[in-house]
Amino acid sequence: MNGSGNDNGTLQGAVVAVAGAGGPAGRAALLRLAEAGATVVASDADPARLAEAVDAARYAHGGATVIGDTVDLLDLAATKAWAERIEKDFGHVDGLVHLVGGWRGSTSFTETDLADWDFLEKLLIRTVAHTSIAFHDGLLRSDRGRYVLISQSGAHKPVANNAAYNAGKAAAEAWTLAMADSYRKAGGEDGPQAAAAILVIKALVHDAMRAERPNAKFAGFTDVKELAEAIAGVWDRPASDVNGQRLWLTPQP
């Protein structure tokens, strides 16, 4: 996808929520969505990191509306209230980008710490469950509603020392595909009017990582700017093309 793929208006005037916006991938997504003309409502568990990301996007695109909201996505009622507030304030909500992440691994399969599963289940699955339920109807009311999950290739080829993480990502994908099926059923013969899609990566890389490890190849990694471009590109395609689809940004295992 080229650098200006979304500046033709598919996101102009859209209202897009970004969950987990404070990290490098979130920052890149805020920048790209704002550049494409969207109003962006960002949330992150770390208020300071969120404020920095929001400020960076605002400064990069003068006149862009980028708002930061501190929301407890582990609280379904709070997540529903967030979705309702966005739709009430702006008249519509056209997207939820799920970038909430976290990783815990082990040295071997049998040394998997089940406390890691408890931690990852909340971050990787519960936040998907809550945001998908909270935003489902609002996105269906939109003329371009998109729910975008960022997943990881290990969900499709689990490895011994990543059981909890791989299982968490696989469950998050299954939950998102169930949402996609709801949109398929709601659309009937006309096809889905909203879409839930999955972008699959191996790992992410950004400029600071390259500066720290100038000799590293980062083979198969996706740059956060490339991910942001792919996120914006989900709106370039009809709902029927992306609903229930895994869009691979790394070779499929």
Side-chain angles (χ1 to χ4, degrees), residues 151-153 156 173 198-201 246-250:
S151 189
Q152 198 265 343
S153 54
H156 304 270
E173 287 198 10
I198 300 165
L199 296 176
V200 189
I201 59 167
R246 293 183 179 92
L247 308 172
W248 288 82
L249 304 183
T250 190

Side-chain angles (χ1 to χ4, degrees), residues 186-209:
E189 289 184 4
D190 294 333
Q193 304 305 300
I198 300 165
L199 296 176
V200 189
I201 59 167
K202 172 185 172 182
L204 292 172
V205 62
H206 51 85
D207 291 344
M209 286 171 65

